Amino acid sequence: MNLENSKIAIIGLGYVGLPLMVEFAKKYPTLGYDINAQRVEQLQAGNDLGKDLSQEELAAAVHGSYSCNPEDLKHANVYIVTVPTPVDRQNHPDLSPLISACKLVGSVLDAGDTVIFESTVYPGATEEVCLPVLEEVSGLKLNENLFVGYSPERINPGDKQHRLTTIIKVTSGSNEQTASFVDALYRSIIPAGTHPASSIKVAEASKVIENTQRDLNIAFINELSIIFHRLGIDTEEVLTAAGTKWNFLNFRPGLVGGHCIGVDPYYLTHKSEEIGYHPEVILAGRRINDGMGTYISERVVKELTHKRIHVVDSNILVMGLTFKENCPDIRNTRVVDLIAGLKEYHANVDIHDPWVLPQAARDEYGLDLIKEPQPGHYDAVIIAVSHDQFKNAGVDAIRKLTRDNHIIFDVKCLFPKSENLFRL
């Protein structure tokens, strides 16, 4: 394994794979591969419709190319897998994209090649699930003529401050030589540095608990918000007061979705139950967070009723569909739970999100977006996502969308309490 002779292929050009491809392509011959031909065509034209990278950033990949042709993968000797690892409807890990990627990579491997996984998995998945597929398809043998590493992704979509190159990278390998190679490879493109883990399992576990920890902290704050509402106390005021202590953790209540925080805990609990231990705290946190969409919809219905606004056939605007602010990602967004809860009461629900392509919302959830909300039309407006566009518009502009008798529910506390808004 020679760093200078590395020819890299990135499998999957999503929010993880694309920035990785661009950074490697500044120094090494790098192929970005994706099964989505339309995605590849867009990137070849210098456009990232996911809005993660600008045209200037894409142009910096001077040694890079894009393809959806598996034959082009044969020229690489280092394969980095960055495909999604979602959960199914029963919240069980869905490793089918990862297994498909392993079959693809296995079909083009040559003796001496290295395969590195970045997809989030439970501890042991690389060696127990991925490796057997690679060996079977390629006919190669681990640590004889096939080498495997794991370096978990730490990308935060929409975050322009914490980027690939500014976040310390955890690295690992199937033996000491591979671990050194994988670490050196990432260290060559990441100024923030690396943290070599002692084993692949340790690296896998470190990733899966990062988001599990955040999930539990948010679940705690969500539960507090439910308690404080019943006590007639404003949660944001409580958190602001408590936050004056130097070691108080700054978490806020809200909807917890996305491809990481709302998913990763289920990977850990799946493995835990597989080895005979039923995790109680982690699953309790998941139940609380998964129920927040329904809780918010019921709060809105109650507030409408208190205002003597008939809920059936009421007009409600939901502002924001993405799982977080200032990004177009709608995967596993829990805003859909809020929308479903409102529709159960036969309310008319409009959804507006300037970050989301209408076709994406239709394909993923069967939801139609509106381009512009209608002034003076809504009995309730729910600010579900704190996009900058909503904040910059101001609460007065949002209030112009409502009827005289109305409510505005500010899920993200985007505006001050003095604006007479309802919030968690």
Side-chain angles (χ1 to χ4, degrees):
M1 289 173 280
N2 190 308
L3 201 62
E4 290 73 23
N5 295 330
S6 296
K7 298 176 182 177
I8 300 167
I10 309 294
I11 315 300
L13 296 175
Y15 75 100
V16 175
L18 182 59
L20 196 65
M21 181 270 177
V22 169
E23 289 303 321
F24 274 122
K26 293 176 182 179
K27 297 189 66 171
Y28 306 98
T30 305
L31 174 70
Y33 175 88
D34 201 285
I35 60 174
N36 186 332
Q38 185 179 10
R39 171 72 164 162
V40 170
E41 289 174 4
Q42 291 164 355
L43 293 172
Q44 287 173 335
N47 297 312
D48 173 24
L49 295 187
K51 302 181 182 179
D52 289 319
L53 298 181
S54 66
Q55 290 183 331
E56 292 75 18
E57 288 172 317
L58 289 175
V62 292
H63 302 293
S65 60
Y66 303 95
S67 177
C68 56
N69 184 355
E71 289 295 314
D72 294 333
L73 292 170
K74 293 180 178 180
H75 302 292
N77 52 26
V78 177
Y79 299 86
I80 302 178
V81 178
T82 63
V83 298
T85 45
V87 292
D88 61 22
R89 291 186 176 182
Q90 288 74 43
N91 291 322
H92 298 144
D94 178 7
L95 295 175
S96 57
L98 187 58
I99 292 171
S100 295
C102 289
K103 290 178 179 178
L104 172 66
V105 171
S107 69
V108 297
L109 284 176
D110 289 323
D113 288 353
T114 301
V115 184
I116 304 168
F117 294 92
E118 289 213 4
S119 305
T120 302
V121 291
Y122 52 77
T126 298
E127 292 156 304
E128 297 166 9
V129 177
C130 300
L131 178 59
V133 176
L134 291 175
E135 289 184 325
E136 180 181 0
V137 176
S138 68
L140 303 176
K141 189 69 176 175
L142 180 67
N143 293 335
E144 291 181 8
N145 49 13
L146 169 63
F147 306 94
V148 174
Y150 184 81
S151 181
E153 60 90 0
R154 282 178 162 173
I155 298 295
N156 187 24
D159 189 338
K160 300 304 181 183
Q161 180 180 358
H162 302 99
R163 311 297 295 271
L164 172 65
T165 56
T166 64
I167 304 171
I168 293 174
K169 202 83 162 68
V170 175
T171 64
S172 64
S174 54
N175 60 18
E176 187 174 340
Q177 183 184 12
T178 306
S180 297
F181 170 74
V182 172
D183 189 70
L185 185 66
Y186 281 104
R187 205 172 344 108
S188 71
I189 66 162
I190 298 180
T194 60
H195 177 89
S198 62
S199 69
I200 288 176
K201 281 186 179 180
V202 168
E204 291 168 327
S206 73
K207 169 57 181 177
V208 81
I209 71 163
E210 288 176 13
N211 289 315
T212 301
Q213 182 187 65
R214 286 185 57 78
D215 191 47
L216 286 170
N217 278 311
I218 299 170
F220 173 58
I221 301 300
N222 274 335
E223 189 165 55
L224 289 180
S225 74
I226 295 171
I227 295 170
F228 292 152
H229 172 66
R230 294 190 178 191
L231 291 172
I233 303 172
D234 185 84
T235 303
E236 180 64 20
E237 288 187 19
V238 175
L239 296 176
T240 300
T244 59
K245 190 167 187 278
W246 76 92
N247 60 352
F248 186 81
L249 301 179
N250 184 28
F251 289 92
R252 288 299 187 270
L255 298 167
V256 183
H259 42 77
C260 290
I261 299 180
V263 172
D264 294 359
Y266 288 122
Y267 273 75
L268 184 56
T269 57
H270 167 81
K271 187 61 178 179
S272 175
E273 291 176 335
E274 192 177 78
I275 59 174
Y277 178 78
H278 179 75
E280 297 185 17
V281 174
I282 298 172
L283 289 176
R286 280 281 75 230
R287 284 193 295 272
I288 292 171
N289 286 341
D290 278 347
M292 287 305 291
T294 300
Y295 170 74
I296 294 169
S297 68
E298 291 176 351
R299 280 275 310 271
V300 170
V301 168
K302 287 180 180 179
E303 300 301 345
L304 286 171
T305 303
H306 291 161
K307 287 242 179 186
R308 299 187 183 280
I309 300 172
H310 196 48
V311 178
V312 174
D313 285 331
S314 62
N315 296 319
I316 299 177
L317 174 65
V318 175
M319 300 182 68
L321 181 62
T322 60
F323 86 91
K324 64 175 293 187
E325 67 278 0
N326 303 326
C327 83
D329 202 334
I330 59 174
R331 285 176 296 172
N332 195 38
T333 174
R334 295 334 317 153
V335 179
V336 296
D337 300 336
L338 164 61
I339 295 167
L342 295 170
K343 288 185 174 180
E344 285 185 0
Y345 288 92
H346 302 288
N348 302 314
V349 182
D350 284 348
I351 309 160
H352 172 61
D353 194 318
W355 280 86
V356 178
L357 294 173
Q359 191 61 46
R362 196 173 298 117
D363 291 344
E364 187 76 16
Y365 299 109
L367 296 174
D368 291 315
L369 304 186
I370 62 167
K371 189 172 183 179
E372 293 295 338
Q374 184 178 338
H377 180 65
Y378 298 102
D379 300 292
V381 174
I382 304 170
I383 308 168
V385 185
S386 54
H387 291 317
D388 285 347
Q389 288 94 327
F390 301 158
K391 182 177 181 179
N392 295 337
V395 70
D396 289 339
I398 294 173
R399 209 178 292 280
K400 289 178 180 178
L401 303 173
T402 63
R403 294 173 173 170
D404 290 339
N405 190 23
H406 68 271
I407 71 164
I408 298 177
F409 200 106
D410 186 3
V411 174
K412 302 295 290 184
C413 291
L414 199 58
F415 301 107
K417 182 185 177 184
S418 59
E419 297 293 346
N420 195 28
L421 310 176
F422 295 96
R423 56 191 191 178
L424 289 175

